Short mmCIF file of all heavy atoms in Angstrom, two decimals:
data_model
loop_
_atom_site.label_atom_id
_atom_site.label_comp_id
_atom_site.label_asym_id
_atom_site.label_seq_id
_atom_site.Cartn_x
_atom_site.Cartn_y
_atom_site.Cartn_z
N ALA A 261 50.75 -6.24 -22.67
CA ALA A 261 49.91 -6.57 -23.83
C ALA A 261 48.93 -5.45 -24.11
O ALA A 261 48.50 -4.73 -23.20
CB ALA A 261 49.15 -7.86 -23.59
N ILE A 262 48.59 -5.29 -25.40
CA ILE A 262 47.48 -4.44 -25.80
C ILE A 262 46.25 -5.33 -25.96
O ILE A 262 46.33 -6.40 -26.56
CB ILE A 262 47.78 -3.73 -27.13
CG1 ILE A 262 48.67 -2.50 -26.90
CG2 ILE A 262 46.49 -3.30 -27.84
CD1 ILE A 262 49.04 -1.78 -28.17
N TYR A 263 45.12 -4.89 -25.41
CA TYR A 263 43.85 -5.54 -25.67
C TYR A 263 43.01 -4.54 -26.45
O TYR A 263 42.55 -3.54 -25.91
CB TYR A 263 43.15 -5.92 -24.36
CG TYR A 263 42.45 -7.25 -24.44
CD1 TYR A 263 42.70 -8.26 -23.51
CD2 TYR A 263 41.52 -7.50 -25.45
CE1 TYR A 263 42.06 -9.48 -23.58
CE2 TYR A 263 40.87 -8.73 -25.53
CZ TYR A 263 41.15 -9.71 -24.59
OH TYR A 263 40.51 -10.92 -24.66
N ALA A 264 42.85 -4.76 -27.75
CA ALA A 264 42.11 -3.83 -28.60
C ALA A 264 40.63 -4.18 -28.54
O ALA A 264 40.25 -5.33 -28.74
CB ALA A 264 42.62 -3.90 -30.03
N THR A 265 39.80 -3.18 -28.28
CA THR A 265 38.36 -3.42 -28.17
C THR A 265 37.58 -2.35 -28.90
O THR A 265 37.96 -1.19 -28.92
CB THR A 265 37.91 -3.45 -26.68
OG1 THR A 265 36.49 -3.51 -26.63
CG2 THR A 265 38.38 -2.21 -25.93
N ASP A 266 36.47 -2.74 -29.50
CA ASP A 266 35.55 -1.78 -30.11
C ASP A 266 34.31 -1.61 -29.23
O ASP A 266 33.30 -1.06 -29.67
CB ASP A 266 35.16 -2.22 -31.52
CG ASP A 266 34.44 -3.56 -31.55
OD1 ASP A 266 34.34 -4.19 -30.48
OD2 ASP A 266 33.99 -3.99 -32.62
N LEU A 267 34.39 -2.12 -27.97
CA LEU A 267 33.29 -2.03 -27.02
C LEU A 267 32.06 -2.81 -27.46
O LEU A 267 30.94 -2.54 -27.03
CB LEU A 267 32.91 -0.57 -26.74
CG LEU A 267 34.05 0.35 -26.32
CD1 LEU A 267 33.51 1.76 -26.02
CD2 LEU A 267 34.80 -0.19 -25.13
N SER A 268 32.25 -3.80 -28.33
CA SER A 268 31.14 -4.62 -28.81
C SER A 268 30.88 -5.78 -27.86
O SER A 268 31.66 -6.08 -26.96
CB SER A 268 31.46 -5.17 -30.21
OG SER A 268 32.54 -6.10 -30.11
N ALA A 269 29.79 -6.48 -28.10
CA ALA A 269 29.47 -7.66 -27.30
C ALA A 269 30.54 -8.72 -27.47
O ALA A 269 30.89 -9.44 -26.52
CB ALA A 269 28.10 -8.20 -27.69
N ALA A 270 31.09 -8.84 -28.67
CA ALA A 270 32.13 -9.83 -28.92
C ALA A 270 33.40 -9.49 -28.15
O ALA A 270 34.03 -10.36 -27.54
CB ALA A 270 32.42 -9.92 -30.42
N SER A 271 33.80 -8.23 -28.17
CA SER A 271 34.97 -7.81 -27.41
C SER A 271 34.78 -8.07 -25.92
O SER A 271 35.67 -8.55 -25.23
CB SER A 271 35.25 -6.31 -27.63
OG SER A 271 35.76 -6.08 -28.91
N GLU A 272 33.59 -7.75 -25.44
CA GLU A 272 33.32 -7.94 -24.02
C GLU A 272 33.36 -9.41 -23.64
O GLU A 272 33.83 -9.76 -22.55
CB GLU A 272 31.95 -7.34 -23.66
CG GLU A 272 31.64 -7.45 -22.19
CD GLU A 272 30.61 -6.44 -21.72
OE1 GLU A 272 30.20 -5.59 -22.52
OE2 GLU A 272 30.21 -6.53 -20.54
N ALA A 273 32.89 -10.28 -24.51
CA ALA A 273 32.92 -11.71 -24.22
C ALA A 273 34.34 -12.19 -23.96
O ALA A 273 34.59 -12.98 -23.05
CB ALA A 273 32.30 -12.48 -25.39
N ALA A 274 35.29 -11.71 -24.77
CA ALA A 274 36.68 -12.12 -24.60
C ALA A 274 37.27 -11.53 -23.33
O ALA A 274 37.95 -12.22 -22.56
CB ALA A 274 37.50 -11.68 -25.82
N ILE A 275 37.02 -10.26 -23.09
CA ILE A 275 37.60 -9.59 -21.93
C ILE A 275 37.01 -10.11 -20.63
O ILE A 275 37.70 -10.19 -19.61
CB ILE A 275 37.40 -8.06 -22.06
CG1 ILE A 275 38.31 -7.53 -23.19
CG2 ILE A 275 37.69 -7.34 -20.76
CD1 ILE A 275 38.08 -6.08 -23.54
N GLN A 276 35.76 -10.51 -20.65
CA GLN A 276 35.10 -11.01 -19.44
C GLN A 276 35.39 -12.47 -19.17
O GLN A 276 35.01 -12.99 -18.11
CB GLN A 276 33.58 -10.81 -19.56
CG GLN A 276 33.13 -9.37 -19.66
CD GLN A 276 32.89 -8.73 -18.29
OE1 GLN A 276 33.29 -9.28 -17.28
NE2 GLN A 276 32.26 -7.57 -18.28
N ASN A 277 36.06 -13.17 -20.10
CA ASN A 277 36.26 -14.60 -19.94
C ASN A 277 37.42 -14.87 -18.97
O ASN A 277 38.58 -14.60 -19.27
CB ASN A 277 36.55 -15.24 -21.30
CG ASN A 277 36.51 -16.76 -21.23
OD1 ASN A 277 37.42 -17.38 -20.69
ND2 ASN A 277 35.47 -17.37 -21.76
N GLU A 278 37.09 -15.43 -17.81
CA GLU A 278 38.10 -15.64 -16.77
C GLU A 278 39.19 -16.60 -17.21
O GLU A 278 40.36 -16.44 -16.86
CB GLU A 278 37.42 -16.16 -15.50
CG GLU A 278 36.50 -15.15 -14.83
CD GLU A 278 35.88 -15.68 -13.56
OE1 GLU A 278 36.22 -16.84 -13.18
OE2 GLU A 278 35.07 -14.97 -12.95
N THR A 279 38.82 -17.62 -17.99
CA THR A 279 39.80 -18.61 -18.42
C THR A 279 40.81 -17.98 -19.38
O THR A 279 42.02 -18.24 -19.28
CB THR A 279 39.11 -19.80 -19.10
OG1 THR A 279 38.15 -20.35 -18.19
CG2 THR A 279 40.12 -20.88 -19.47
N CYS A 280 40.34 -17.15 -20.31
CA CYS A 280 41.26 -16.46 -21.22
C CYS A 280 42.23 -15.59 -20.43
O CYS A 280 43.45 -15.60 -20.70
CB CYS A 280 40.48 -15.59 -22.20
SG CYS A 280 39.58 -16.51 -23.47
N LEU A 281 41.73 -14.85 -19.47
CA LEU A 281 42.59 -13.98 -18.68
C LEU A 281 43.59 -14.78 -17.86
O LEU A 281 44.76 -14.40 -17.72
CB LEU A 281 41.74 -13.09 -17.77
CG LEU A 281 40.83 -12.08 -18.47
CD1 LEU A 281 40.04 -11.27 -17.44
CD2 LEU A 281 41.62 -11.17 -19.39
N GLU A 282 43.15 -15.91 -17.33
CA GLU A 282 44.06 -16.77 -16.57
C GLU A 282 45.20 -17.28 -17.46
O GLU A 282 46.36 -17.34 -17.04
CB GLU A 282 43.29 -17.96 -15.98
CG GLU A 282 44.17 -18.89 -15.14
CD GLU A 282 43.40 -20.10 -14.64
OE1 GLU A 282 42.16 -20.15 -14.81
OE2 GLU A 282 44.05 -21.01 -14.08
N CYS A 283 44.87 -17.64 -18.70
CA CYS A 283 45.91 -18.11 -19.63
C CYS A 283 46.93 -17.01 -19.92
O CYS A 283 48.13 -17.28 -20.01
CB CYS A 283 45.27 -18.56 -20.94
SG CYS A 283 44.39 -20.14 -20.82
N LEU A 284 46.46 -15.78 -20.07
CA LEU A 284 47.39 -14.67 -20.29
C LEU A 284 48.31 -14.49 -19.09
O LEU A 284 49.51 -14.24 -19.23
CB LEU A 284 46.61 -13.38 -20.56
CG LEU A 284 45.80 -13.35 -21.86
CD1 LEU A 284 45.00 -12.05 -21.95
CD2 LEU A 284 46.72 -13.49 -23.08
N GLY A 285 47.76 -14.62 -17.90
CA GLY A 285 48.59 -14.53 -16.70
C GLY A 285 49.62 -15.63 -16.64
O GLY A 285 50.77 -15.40 -16.21
N ARG A 286 49.27 -16.82 -17.06
CA ARG A 286 50.20 -17.95 -17.01
C ARG A 286 51.41 -17.75 -17.89
O ARG A 286 52.51 -18.21 -17.59
CB ARG A 286 49.48 -19.24 -17.43
CG ARG A 286 48.59 -19.81 -16.36
CD ARG A 286 48.02 -21.16 -16.80
NE ARG A 286 47.14 -21.71 -15.80
CZ ARG A 286 46.51 -22.87 -15.94
NH1 ARG A 286 46.66 -23.58 -17.06
NH2 ARG A 286 45.72 -23.33 -14.99
N ILE A 287 51.24 -17.08 -19.03
CA ILE A 287 52.39 -16.89 -19.92
C ILE A 287 53.20 -15.66 -19.56
O ILE A 287 54.18 -15.34 -20.23
CB ILE A 287 51.95 -16.82 -21.40
CG1 ILE A 287 51.17 -15.55 -21.70
CG2 ILE A 287 51.18 -18.08 -21.80
CD1 ILE A 287 50.92 -15.32 -23.18
N GLY A 288 52.77 -14.95 -18.50
CA GLY A 288 53.59 -13.86 -18.01
C GLY A 288 53.06 -12.46 -18.24
O GLY A 288 53.73 -11.48 -17.91
N VAL A 289 51.85 -12.33 -18.80
CA VAL A 289 51.28 -11.00 -19.00
C VAL A 289 50.84 -10.45 -17.64
O VAL A 289 50.12 -11.10 -16.90
CB VAL A 289 50.07 -11.05 -19.95
CG1 VAL A 289 49.40 -9.68 -20.03
CG2 VAL A 289 50.51 -11.51 -21.34
N ASP A 290 51.33 -9.25 -17.30
CA ASP A 290 50.92 -8.63 -16.04
C ASP A 290 50.35 -7.23 -16.22
O ASP A 290 49.71 -6.69 -15.33
CB ASP A 290 52.08 -8.59 -15.04
CG ASP A 290 53.34 -7.94 -15.61
OD1 ASP A 290 53.25 -7.23 -16.63
OD2 ASP A 290 54.43 -8.14 -15.05
N THR A 291 50.59 -6.62 -17.39
CA THR A 291 50.08 -5.29 -17.67
C THR A 291 49.31 -5.30 -18.98
O THR A 291 49.80 -5.83 -19.98
CB THR A 291 51.23 -4.26 -17.77
OG1 THR A 291 51.94 -4.23 -16.54
CG2 THR A 291 50.69 -2.87 -18.08
N ILE A 292 48.11 -4.74 -18.98
CA ILE A 292 47.28 -4.72 -20.18
C ILE A 292 46.87 -3.28 -20.50
O ILE A 292 46.37 -2.56 -19.63
CB ILE A 292 46.03 -5.60 -20.02
CG1 ILE A 292 46.44 -7.08 -19.95
CG2 ILE A 292 45.05 -5.38 -21.18
CD1 ILE A 292 45.30 -8.05 -19.78
N HIS A 293 47.12 -2.88 -21.74
CA HIS A 293 46.68 -1.59 -22.24
C HIS A 293 45.38 -1.80 -23.01
O HIS A 293 45.38 -2.43 -24.07
CB HIS A 293 47.73 -0.98 -23.16
CG HIS A 293 48.99 -0.60 -22.45
ND1 HIS A 293 49.26 0.68 -22.01
CD2 HIS A 293 50.07 -1.34 -22.10
CE1 HIS A 293 50.44 0.72 -21.43
NE2 HIS A 293 50.95 -0.50 -21.47
N LEU A 294 44.28 -1.30 -22.46
CA LEU A 294 42.99 -1.37 -23.15
C LEU A 294 42.93 -0.23 -24.16
O LEU A 294 43.06 0.94 -23.79
CB LEU A 294 41.84 -1.25 -22.16
CG LEU A 294 41.54 -2.49 -21.31
CD1 LEU A 294 40.63 -2.11 -20.15
CD2 LEU A 294 40.88 -3.56 -22.16
#
C-alpha cells in the first residue's frame, strides 16, 4: 500500500492510529510506501 502524507497533524493522526493500522494488517497489507 501507499500511504500518502503531507506531514500534517491530520496525516499523523491517521498514521499513528493503532486501530487503523491493525485493520490494514487484517486485510493483508504487509508493506507500506510512505
Side-chain angles (χ1 to χ4, degrees):
I262 280 178
Y263 218 126
T265 173
D266 62 355
L267 307 182
S268 67
S271 287
E272 183 158 354
I275 290 173
Q276 297 272 13
N277 190 287
E278 293 181 3
T279 304
C280 288
L281 295 180
E282 181 184 352
C283 287
L284 294 176
R286 284 186 181 179
I287 68 171
V289 174
D290 53 18
T291 300
I292 292 179
H293 293 263
L294 284 166

